[in-house]
Amino acid sequence: MKDLLQNNIIKKGSRIGLLCNQTAWHVSTKKYSFESLIRKGVLKKVFIPEHGLFGELQDQEKLSNTSAYHFFSDKVEWISLYSQQETSLSASAAQLAGIDTLIIDLQDTGSRYYTFISTIWLLLKSVTIHYPDTRIIVLDKPNPAGRIVEGTRMTRQYASFIGLEGLPHRHGLTLGELCRYFKKRLDADWELLIVPVRKKDHVFIPPSPNIPHDRVCSLYSGQCLWEGTNISEGRGTTLPFEMTGAPFLDWVFNEDWNEPGHPAYHPNAFIRPAKFIPVFHKHAHTSCSGFQLLVPDREKYHSLSHSLRLLRYIKEKTPEFAWKEGKYEAFNDRKAIELLVGDELILDYFENKAGWKEVKLKMEEEEAAWIKTASPFLVYKSSLKQLKIRK
């Protein structure tokens, strides 16, 4: 942000729209980007993704009233892109009117389930349709899940707000690189400027309530699948997506999880059986048995493949196991597990209609295909990485 202000990248008289949240706080200025732009007198509109401007809202809580943010400036229009109506997920032509520059200042987690990706896609799509001369600036940040690619690309059949068609479970790109990819997909002509953050100026700010630190991002691509079940993914604890459990899983203490012969063993992760009590969400205020995943070297851990095997094994061993029923994502009637997995073969694997060998081969082929597709859009020296999947 300091570079934009000092190097005249943002010129006097600019009319700026800003997509941001609390991760838009900059070490270089010790301020949020919206504060700096308000002081410069160029900020006209702020677009706010899921979880609110400060990550104060839990998952899937709608933000219909943005009046709490008028404190910062009543001359700025504060626009929720996660309100009660499906149309709110994308900015309208009227909401985009009056700006000549759109700045994107968000922290991603590296997995396609994270809705900021879809918010950016829909916003850029609307810009392309209504105001194709808008200048796009991305204040880029590192991908906390790194360059590792995991899983299969989302099919049109299961695509939704939590799963953009064409993206794998773990994509390996920064948001700036994703925007380059989106520009190509949209066949757009708008100018795109990516501003990398300097290493000394970067701090990881939790982008939402249940991503409390960056190490969660290396587990999220796999552990998020528990959201599609009646087993807690650790929401309501201090270790979401690391802790997994339910009141009916006492049997986990009888297993030798870390022995190489165990069906759910992984050479680059430890399973620590544990008990915990969520204070909200699934099984709130109830003692749960389960486990914590401990990953010593995140660069060697294929989260999705491990979680797939864990989930199927626990499903087979647990009579009380069930898929989450009812509406999971707003404006979509599919089951949670279908939207999260997004792949018919993996869904068949959970129901013992397909074997691990088939799933492993498909993931390997899909990961290689995504790396080939995405590599031309890389901005940084490090390449996308495909890990060996356990047999």
Side-chain angles (χ1 to χ4, degrees):
M1 175 54 66
K2 189 174 182 179
D3 290 341
L4 294 187
L5 297 174
Q6 289 184 342
N7 297 335
N8 290 321
I9 296 174
I10 297 176
K11 296 179 173 57
K12 187 176 180 180
S14 295
R15 303 183 307 278
I16 293 175
L18 173 67
L19 172 63
C20 73
N21 64 5
Q22 74 280 2
T23 62
W25 188 88
H26 295 267
V27 172
S28 60
T29 61
K30 310 298 188 297
K31 298 182 186 304
Y32 293 102
S33 52
F34 59 82
E35 292 181 295
S36 298
L37 293 169
I38 287 171
R39 290 191 179 193
K40 194 172 177 67
V42 293
L43 186 62
K44 304 302 178 185
K45 307 190 181 196
V46 174
F47 300 98
I48 304 164
E50 184 181 4
H51 304 295
L53 186 61
F54 290 94
E56 68 270 33
L57 300 174
Q58 285 292 330
D59 62 305
Q60 301 192 37
E61 281 193 53
K62 304 300 184 290
L63 174 64
S64 298
N65 187 339
T66 61
S67 61
Y69 311 132
H70 294 183
F71 163 83
F72 296 102
S73 174
D74 56 9
K75 295 179 181 179
V76 171
E77 187 178 355
W78 305 85
I79 301 167
S80 172
L81 295 182
Y82 198 76
S83 188
Q84 296 292 342
Q85 295 78 35
E86 185 172 5
T87 54
S88 73
L89 300 180
S90 179
S92 65
Q95 289 171 328
L96 289 169
I99 64 172
D100 55 31
T101 304
L102 173 66
I103 298 177
I104 298 171
D105 194 358
L106 291 171
Q107 174 69 66
D108 186 32
T109 65
S111 293
R112 74 176 180 217
Y113 324 115
Y114 212 64
T115 60
F116 295 173
I117 295 174
S118 292
T119 294
I120 292 170
W121 163 257
L122 291 171
L123 188 57
L124 293 179
K125 186 176 180 180
S126 188
V127 166
T128 304
I129 294 169
H130 300 296
Y131 296 98
D133 293 331
T134 303
R135 188 182 189 208
I136 311 296
I137 300 175
V138 182
L139 303 185
D140 214 10
K141 299 173 177 62
N143 181 336
R147 287 303 207 186
I148 295 169
V149 171
E150 293 180 356
T152 60
R153 291 168 294 180
M154 175 60 76
T155 61
R156 180 171 298 180
Q157 178 185 6
Y158 295 110
S160 73
F161 191 61
I162 60 164
L164 190 64
E165 182 181 355
L167 291 186
H169 294 78
R170 183 172 174 180
H171 54 74
L173 304 180
T174 68
L175 286 182
E177 291 168 335
L178 273 172
C179 285
R180 293 188 75 194
Y181 166 68
F182 290 161
K183 182 178 180 181
K184 177 68 174 179
R185 274 183 61 169
L186 291 165
D187 193 24
D189 292 327
W190 31 259
E191 178 188 356
L192 174 61
L193 174 63
I194 298 169
V195 183
V197 66
R198 291 178 293 191
K199 188 174 182 180
K200 67 177 183 177
D201 290 335
H202 177 67
V203 291
F204 180 82
I205 297 171
S208 59
N210 291 290
I211 305 291
H213 42 72
D214 58 358
R215 74 172 182 266
V216 177
C217 300
S218 296
L219 299 174
Y220 187 59
S221 52
Q223 289 298 94
C224 188
L225 297 184
W226 294 104
E227 290 189 21
T229 76
N230 64 342
I231 293 174
S232 169
E233 65 275 13
R235 291 182 190 273
T237 77
T238 58
L239 296 171
F241 304 108
E242 292 183 54
M243 299 296 288
T244 305
F248 44 80
L249 291 181
D250 286 345
W251 63 265
V252 300
F253 287 93
N254 301 324
E255 300 271 322
D256 293 324
W257 294 95
N258 300 300
E259 291 299 318
H262 193 282
Y265 169 79
H266 195 289
N268 296 306
F270 298 113
I271 294 176
R272 178 182 70 85
K275 281 186 172 287
F276 60 92
I277 301 176
V279 296
F280 62 86
H281 217 262
K282 294 178 191 170
H283 310 301
H285 309 294
T286 304
S287 179
C288 295
S289 295
F291 57 85
Q292 181 187 11
L293 279 181
L294 302 169
V295 181
D297 188 345
R298 291 186 282 170
E299 288 297 308
K300 296 180 180 179
Y301 183 60
H302 195 292
S303 174
L304 180 65
S305 66
H306 193 202
S307 291
L308 290 178
R309 294 176 72 127
L310 274 168
L311 200 157
R312 175 165 148 167
Y313 182 72
I314 287 176
K315 177 179 179 292
E316 290 175 344
K317 293 259 305 185
T318 309
E320 299 91 341
F321 178 94
W323 298 117
K324 183 179 174 65
E325 295 293 339
K327 189 179 287 289
Y328 170 66
E329 185 209 8
F331 322 119
N332 196 304
D333 292 328
R334 281 196 176 276
K335 284 186 177 181
I337 196 63
E338 294 176 334
L339 296 174
L340 292 167
V341 168
D343 186 282
E344 198 72 33
L345 182 65
I346 296 176
L347 292 170
D348 284 346
Y349 169 73
F350 286 147
E351 301 300 334
N352 298 324
K353 297 176 183 177
W356 180 248
K357 186 176 180 181
E358 298 171 79
V359 172
K360 175 179 177 292
L361 178 61
K362 183 172 185 181
M363 286 198 294
E364 289 170 342
E365 292 174 346
E366 287 279 291
E367 289 166 3
W370 170 248
I371 288 173
K372 184 177 180 180
T373 295
S375 291
F377 304 101
L378 300 184
V379 174
Y380 309 97
K381 291 181 179 179
S382 55
S383 301
L384 297 178
K385 183 178 179 181
Q386 184 175 14
L387 297 180
K388 185 177 180 179
I389 300 174
R390 182 185 171 222
K391 294 181 181 179

